[in-house]
Amino acid sequence: MVNKISKSLGIWRKKAKAWIGENKGFSCLLLIMSVYYGWRMFALDPWYDELYTYYSFISRGPVYAAIHWPVPNNHVFYSVLSGFLMIFGNPYIALRGISWLFCVGNLIMLYTFAKRFFSRSLSLSCVAIYSSFYLVNYLSIQGRGYTLSTGLYLLALVMLYEICVDKKAQFRYYAIFSLSLTGGLYAIPSNVYWVLPLCLAGGLYLLFSREIKTLLKLITASMVAAFNTFCLYSLIWLAIGSNLLSKTPDSGYFGIHQIKIILTVPLAALKRGMDYMLASPYVQSIDREKVIRDFFSWTKGLLELFSSTFGGVLLIILIVTVPLCIWGMIIGIKAGERKRLFLSTYLISLLWGLPLILILQAVQPYYRVFTFLGVPLAVLLTVYLSQIKQKGWEMGILTVCLLWAAFWLSSPYYNGAYADRESKIKEIWKEAGISEAESICFMDDYQRYVLKFYWNLQPSEASLEEAQYILLPKEVISEDYEVNEWPVLYNHEGVNWEYLSACQVIKETGEYILYRKR
């Protein structure tokens, strides 16, 4: 067994060495980007959503993360995977390690996919373009599920190409495709915006190619993905539903243990959990007429997050691309050009499928769920660049793309801080020299998340009069301040100012005052 493993490792080592030798330019870029993403991973303080994810899910382990869903911000699959990284004992690795791995892996997969259509130089240009998109870079190493989602999208796309164009019939290609779809939907339900267009692209391609057997296999793989996703979310629905039933006096199951509820009335628990999830204010529809009316301005706003300089230009390119893709599909079918047909079908399925889904759902999701669009945008721009037929054109294009990426990736705009209030709270505790605390009166959620992430402290929550420490946000001092339900918990009237005046001030900044009980 040991000899077989050693032999297999030796074969893979030779293959990797040969691949690096053939792709020296990309290997150098990958090394540079790996270091860059590693720097971002530790240099940029986590912001609220990341700290919330770490506090509520990742730090509690993968099992806890897999069965809890208080709000859509959970990004379940990301939290589950990150929970395993708690073993390293470093909060940055636990929070952002998965994102870093997929930052690097996404570049490899994009380069691999681009090489199916372009030369090495143009494929490297494609990677440089993708890396230079603001939204891709901004969300790159954040401890959230967006980079993971893009990685699963790329993996499914590569597998789809292998199945459709290269006619790989082995089970593993369908299995990886299906698992990628499952992982995407398990990470963020909004990944349906790439899952459906990708399945549509594969279906149309195989239909046009008259490969019905392969089409049926692909449909089966997609249905298996849907079933697997339902099973994974059922765990959450059962956990949520049984918990709600046991705590609701008029449910008929009040006070009964959750496990007993799941074993005796699983369907009731399942339905209650599903109703809770679907009732979330974060997934409500808006007026369909508004979606249609605002579609182009909304899309332009999205594209400007990829490139603030050329957002409008990207919108024009996408509009022009629609008839060109239809023409490419026609040529691909008539001439039997499999690659042209696949690429045209892939792009048109996205350009038509995505708007159709948004209109049918009557939604305008958060822009960040469309981070995966960096992949087709980079591929599309590379297609247009490949039409330049001048002497030395490929190296010229590559040079421009690399310089463009280097300019933006080294700019303060791309490397600005994520956190503001969070970093200020961290500095207050750090400068005050507090390494432990028995009890705290948490006046906003930021405080508890910062203490957990940086010091692994989870002091008991106490009233203002009982707390060992009170960190007061200065906005609460104003009598006119209207408290936010989230994340600030206290208003002016809710503070015992007479008691607080008797406490010792141990640190004060422009935003906070740290008190200690005398």
Side-chain angles (χ1 to χ4, degrees):
M1 178 63 73
V2 175
N3 290 333
K4 287 183 178 180
I5 294 174
S6 179
K7 187 177 179 179
S8 298
L9 290 174
I11 293 172
W12 279 105
R13 190 161 45 244
K14 288 180 180 179
K15 288 183 177 180
K17 188 176 180 180
W19 190 89
I20 292 172
E22 294 174 1
N23 301 275
K24 292 179 181 178
F26 173 73
S27 299
C28 290
L29 178 63
L30 184 66
L31 178 61
I32 293 170
M33 293 304 298
S34 299
V35 174
Y36 171 73
Y37 288 135
W39 169 78
R40 287 178 66 88
M41 178 178 173
F42 292 99
L44 303 181
D45 288 344
W47 70 295
Y48 182 90
D49 277 12
E50 292 183 274
L51 294 175
Y52 166 79
T53 302
Y54 182 84
Y55 177 90
S56 301
F57 308 110
I58 295 173
S59 64
R60 304 186 186 194
V63 175
Y64 183 92
I67 60 176
H68 285 78
W69 195 92
V71 292
N73 265 358
N74 187 352
H75 291 197
V76 186
F77 191 33
Y78 185 87
S79 299
V80 170
L81 292 176
S82 297
F84 289 103
L85 300 187
M86 288 296 294
I87 193 173
F88 291 102
N90 184 291
Y92 283 97
I93 292 176
L95 176 63
R96 293 173 167 173
I98 296 297
S99 285
W100 181 86
L101 288 172
F102 275 86
C103 278
V104 177
N106 291 353
L107 300 184
I108 297 172
M109 286 188 285
L110 178 57
Y111 181 73
T112 301
F113 179 74
K115 279 184 65 181
R116 305 292 199 274
F117 305 95
F118 313 113
S119 65
R120 289 196 187 104
S121 297
L122 283 174
S123 298
L124 189 54
S125 299
C126 182
V127 173
I129 293 170
Y130 169 81
S131 302
S132 70
F133 286 140
Y134 174 78
L135 191 61
V136 170
N137 186 72
Y138 178 74
L139 295 171
S140 57
I141 52 81
Q142 286 194 27
R144 311 288 286 136
Y146 304 112
T147 302
L148 168 65
S149 298
T150 302
L152 294 168
Y153 170 69
L154 273 164
L155 185 57
L157 179 60
V158 171
M159 291 301 104
L160 189 64
Y161 178 92
E162 297 292 329
I163 292 168
C164 293
V165 181
D166 286 350
K167 297 185 178 182
K168 299 289 180 63
Q170 292 94 324
F171 172 78
R172 67 175 181 272
Y173 292 98
Y174 292 95
I176 295 174
F177 175 77
S178 183
L179 290 173
S180 298
L181 301 186
T182 301
L185 293 171
Y186 190 45
I188 309 174
S190 295
N191 282 335
V192 68
Y193 299 125
W194 64 255
V195 168
L196 291 181
L198 206 57
C199 292
L200 177 63
L204 288 176
Y205 175 89
L206 294 171
L207 194 61
F208 293 145
S209 302
R210 299 179 182 179
E211 298 178 26
I212 306 303
K213 288 184 178 180
T214 305
L215 175 59
L216 293 175
K217 290 180 181 178
L218 193 68
I219 292 174
T220 301
S222 302
M223 292 177 66
V224 169
F227 175 76
N228 289 340
T229 303
F230 176 81
C231 291
L232 289 169
Y233 276 104
S234 292
L235 296 175
I236 300 174
W237 296 331
L238 285 170
I240 293 174
S242 61
N243 183 51
L244 292 173
L245 290 174
S246 68
K247 293 181 179 178
T248 304
D250 60 351
S251 68
Y253 305 98
F254 181 69
I256 300 177
H257 196 278
Q258 287 180 245
I259 299 297
K260 187 175 181 180
I261 292 176
I262 293 173
L263 293 175
T264 56
V265 284
L267 292 180
L270 192 70
K271 184 179 183 303
R272 188 63 182 270
M274 290 178 67
D275 291 342
Y276 176 84
M277 180 179 283
L278 294 175
S280 168
Y282 295 94
V283 292
Q284 298 301 309
S285 298
I286 60 176
D287 184 65
R288 183 171 285 103
E289 291 184 5
K290 176 177 172 57
V291 174
I292 297 172
R293 185 174 60 251
D294 298 344
F295 183 76
F296 283 103
S297 60
W298 181 86
T299 304
K300 183 174 180 291
L302 171 61
L303 295 175
E304 285 174 347
L305 279 178
F306 285 95
S307 175
S308 58
T309 310
F310 297 110
V313 175
L314 288 175
L315 180 58
I316 294 172
I317 289 174
L318 290 180
I319 295 172
V320 171
T321 298
V322 172
L324 293 178
C325 283
I326 295 174
W327 178 247
M329 289 168 63
I330 294 171
I331 296 298
I333 294 171
K334 288 184 176 181
E337 297 181 15
R338 302 178 67 85
K339 290 185 177 182
R340 180 194 287 264
L341 177 59
F342 181 87
L343 191 57
S344 299
T345 306
Y346 160 61
L347 292 173
I348 201 65
S349 297
L350 184 75
L351 294 175
W352 276 2
L354 184 53
L356 183 61
I357 296 171
L358 295 176
I359 292 171
L360 289 176
Q361 277 194 312
V363 293
Q364 288 181 343
Y366 294 118
Y367 282 148
R368 54 183 176 266
V369 306
F370 297 101
T371 308
F372 71 91
L373 287 177
V375 173
L377 285 174
V379 171
L380 181 58
L381 290 174
T382 308
V383 170
Y384 282 107
L385 290 174
S386 68
Q387 303 307 307
I388 302 174
K389 305 293 185 181
Q390 301 294 330
K391 186 177 181 180
W393 59 283
E394 287 194 4
M395 288 308 299
I397 289 172
L398 175 58
T399 301
V400 171
C401 290
L402 289 174
L403 290 175
W404 176 265
F407 171 78
W408 285 112
L409 293 177
S410 61
S411 69
Y413 174 57
Y414 270 45
N415 296 299
Y418 292 145
D420 179 29
R421 190 179 188 123
E422 304 88 338
S423 296
K424 290 169 182 174
I425 294 173
K426 180 191 75 171
E427 291 304 317
I428 289 172
W429 286 105
K430 184 178 179 181
E431 291 175 17
I434 297 173
S435 58
E436 61 181 45
E438 295 175 3
S439 62
I440 288 180
C441 176
F442 291 108
M443 306 199 78
D444 61 41
D445 286 337
Y446 290 95
Q447 300 172 17
R448 71 177 85 232
Y449 300 160
V450 167
L451 282 170
K452 178 63 178 177
F453 183 81
Y454 291 102
W455 288 277
N456 196 28
L457 291 177
Q458 203 162 349
S460 59
E461 185 172 358
S463 66
L464 188 142
E465 292 79 8
E466 298 172 340
Q468 182 185 7
Y469 293 99
I470 305 107
L471 185 56
L472 180 77
K474 282 190 173 180
E475 63 261 33
V476 178
I477 296 175
S478 172
E479 295 183 9
D480 298 328
Y481 176 73
E482 294 184 4
V483 64
N484 297 317
E485 292 184 6
W486 166 89
V488 180
L489 307 177
Y490 278 76
N491 60 13
H492 180 83
E493 289 74 18
V495 177
N496 185 338
W497 296 103
E498 183 178 353
Y499 173 82
L500 197 62
S501 63
C503 295
Q504 178 185 3
V505 176
I506 58 175
K507 182 67 182 177
E508 181 175 356
T509 68
E511 296 80 19
Y512 282 95
I513 304 175
L514 179 61
Y515 294 90
R516 180 168 56 201
K517 186 177 182 179
R518 290 184 184 275

